[in-house]
């Protein structure tokens, strides 16, 4: 048997639909002119006028044009795949995803609400429709993959990319720590500077060797160059800041030139340790103290101890001023 649940708003209706984990033909019905059916058999009832006004290609050439509104004037094909009576009005018969389905009711009268078949699953298409309608979608907590697929689908339906202030970018940024390179790539592909700037700092916690070819192509040469300059620039800054060893002093009875050469050698070894780490661009202050602190403890000269500690403090301050974003 069928069950009808009434909701006050479209968001409420989608929330009801989302709790149905089986998705067996669940539908949202509004005062609309078209239904969109996706690959996992979820129906979205939408407004043709809204989709036409937002799309520059008649929603991927799926919506019927005025010249095809009459079923008599359109090419038809009998539905022979099942026993139910029905005809299908094809706007473009050579494209299977451009089917406009018009079912015949038992009384012989046509159901005038057409059905558009789309290839995206309901989770992705839900985000596509929210972007098309200009509605917030953060409540659904879309993953990076869902957001990526929805953004890729927009041009296919002739829909504009979301502006830099759209909530979708805030939702995406919440996941920057989990996959910073992917978030940066998506932001860069739409030239959303705020997303790229905020996610670029998180990319310091991962190696650029993890950057896939697909993500590199997605972000484009300009943002790819800026990302590489950020990472390599910080490594270069680390070398400049920590490269010079502590200043020497005149020989004393307890600290000769030989002793001070040993301090310089230990300093170079500490620098090499930081540069050979997995992610030198993300070097933390405790790592600097760990690499150079033991040098001060290894010498008996109090003058050397003071100079080493001063050198470490100056390096820490300078490293903290190095740019962390593109």
């Amino acid at each position: 048997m069928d069950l009808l649940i009434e909701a006050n708003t479209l968001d409420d209706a989608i929330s009801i639909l989302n709790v149905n984990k089986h998705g067996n033909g669940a539908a949202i019905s509004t005062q609309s002119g078209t239904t969109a059916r996706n690959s996992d058999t979820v129906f979205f009832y939408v407004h043709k006028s809204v989709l036409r006004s937002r799309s520059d290609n008649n929603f991927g050439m799926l919506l019927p044009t005025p010249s095809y509104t009459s079923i008599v004037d359109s090419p038809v094909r009998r539905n022979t795949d099942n026993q139910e009576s029905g005809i299908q009005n094809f706007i473009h018969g050579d494209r299977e995803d451009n089917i406009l389905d018009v079912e015949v009711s038992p009384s012989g009268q046509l159901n005038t609400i057409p059905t558009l078949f789309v290839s995206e699953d309901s989770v992705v298409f839900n985000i596509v429709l929210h972007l098309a309608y200009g509605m917030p979608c953060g409540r659904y907590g879309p993953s990076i993959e869902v957001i990526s697929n929805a953004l890729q689908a927009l041009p296919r339906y002739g829909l504009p990319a979301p502006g830099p202030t759209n909530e979708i970018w805030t939702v995406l940024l919440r996941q920057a720590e989990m996959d910073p390179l992917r978030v940066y790539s998506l932001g860069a592909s739409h030239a959303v500077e705020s997303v790229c700037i905020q996610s670029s700092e998180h990319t310091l916690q991962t190696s650029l060797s993890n950057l896939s070819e697909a993500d590199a192509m997605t972000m484009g040469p300009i943002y790819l160059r800026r990302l590489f300059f950020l990472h390599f620039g910080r490594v270069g800054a680390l070398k400049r800041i920590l490269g010079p060893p502590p200043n020497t002093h005149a020989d004393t009875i307890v600290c000769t030139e030989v002793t001070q050469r040993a301090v310089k050698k230990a300093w170079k070894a500490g620098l090499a340790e930081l540069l050979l780490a997995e992610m030198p661009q993300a070097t933390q202050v405790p790592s600097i103290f760990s690499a150079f602190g033991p040098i001060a403890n290894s010498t008996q000269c109090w003058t050397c101890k003071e100079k080493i500690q001063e050198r470490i403090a100056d390096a820490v301050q300078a490293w903290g001023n190095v740019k962390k974003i593109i």
Side-chain angles (χ1 to χ4, degrees):
M1 62 178 292
D2 294 332
L3 176 64
L4 176 63
I5 302 177
E6 183 178 354
N8 294 324
T9 66
L10 179 60
D11 274 354
D12 292 339
I14 294 177
S15 297
I16 295 172
L17 184 148
N18 283 343
V19 300
N20 177 13
K21 62 181 179 180
H22 303 292
N24 295 326
I28 300 174
S29 179
T30 66
Q31 296 297 323
S32 63
T34 298
T35 63
R37 177 182 177 182
N38 62 339
S39 58
D40 49 359
T41 321
V42 176
F43 291 80
F44 293 88
Y45 283 72
V46 294
H47 304 79
K48 287 186 289 187
S49 59
V50 173
L51 297 185
R52 281 201 180 101
S53 66
R54 305 290 169 81
S55 172
D56 61 10
N57 66 357
N58 215 25
F59 205 67
M61 301 303 292
L62 290 175
L63 291 174
T65 58
S67 59
Y68 290 103
T69 53
S70 173
I71 196 166
V72 177
D73 297 331
S74 302
V76 298
R77 184 177 76 181
R78 290 267 174 200
N79 182 358
T80 58
D81 296 334
N82 53 58
Q83 299 300 319
E84 297 179 2
S85 62
I87 55 178
Q88 293 182 323
N89 175 12
F90 288 83
I91 300 305
H92 293 282
D94 59 332
R95 289 185 56 191
E96 193 171 296
D97 60 346
N98 284 342
I99 298 174
L100 177 63
D101 187 32
V102 183
E103 295 292 340
V104 176
S105 65
S107 62
Q109 296 179 345
L110 289 178
N111 178 356
T112 57
I113 299 181
T115 301
L116 311 177
F117 289 85
V118 296
S119 58
E120 292 78 17
D121 61 38
S122 59
V123 177
V124 173
F125 197 67
N126 178 38
I127 303 303
V128 171
L129 289 180
H130 274 72
L131 292 175
Y133 274 73
M135 298 169 62
C137 57
R139 60 183 296 183
Y140 305 108
S143 66
I144 297 176
E145 190 66 26
V146 168
I147 295 175
S148 175
N149 291 337
L151 292 175
Q152 290 178 11
L154 294 179
R156 187 159 57 249
Y157 297 114
L159 298 172
T165 59
N166 192 289
E167 185 204 29
I168 194 70
W169 302 118
T170 302
V171 176
L172 183 64
L173 274 172
R174 292 173 189 159
Q175 306 174 68
E177 290 188 20
M178 181 174 62
D179 194 346
L181 290 176
R182 191 74 187 280
V183 172
Y184 180 89
S185 173
L186 290 175
S189 66
H190 292 82
V192 183
E193 185 75 2
S194 59
V195 172
C196 295
I197 289 175
Q198 294 182 61
S199 61
S200 64
E201 182 173 357
H202 294 289
T203 68
L204 296 175
Q205 303 302 321
T206 186
S207 172
L208 289 180
S209 62
N210 296 325
L211 181 64
S212 68
E213 183 177 352
D215 284 340
M217 294 292 291
T218 298
M219 67 179 65
I222 295 177
Y223 280 96
L224 179 62
R225 177 179 179 270
R226 293 174 67 182
L227 184 63
F228 269 78
F229 272 43
L230 171 64
H231 282 241
F232 293 155
R234 283 181 60 84
V235 174
L238 188 65
K239 292 180 182 179
R240 292 192 302 271
I241 292 171
L242 292 171
N247 294 326
T248 58
H249 60 83
D251 289 355
T252 63
I253 298 177
V254 296
C255 187
T256 64
E257 182 182 354
V258 175
T259 306
Q260 295 183 59
R261 279 204 301 265
V263 170
K264 290 182 179 181
K265 184 177 180 180
W267 187 270
K268 291 180 179 179
L271 176 59
E273 177 186 339
L274 294 180
L275 294 176
L276 292 176
E278 184 178 0
M279 293 175 290
Q281 73 280 355
T283 297
Q284 302 295 319
V285 170
S287 298
I288 296 177
F289 281 110
S290 176
F292 299 106
I295 301 176
N297 299 328
S298 65
T299 179
Q300 301 299 317
C301 175
W302 286 102
T303 303
C304 285
K305 288 179 182 290
E306 291 179 358
K307 290 184 178 296
I308 292 171
Q309 291 170 350
E310 289 175 359
R311 182 73 183 86
I312 293 175
D314 291 342
V316 167
Q317 182 178 4
W319 179 241
N321 293 330
V322 176
K323 191 178 182 181
K324 298 179 181 179
I325 57 177
I326 61 171

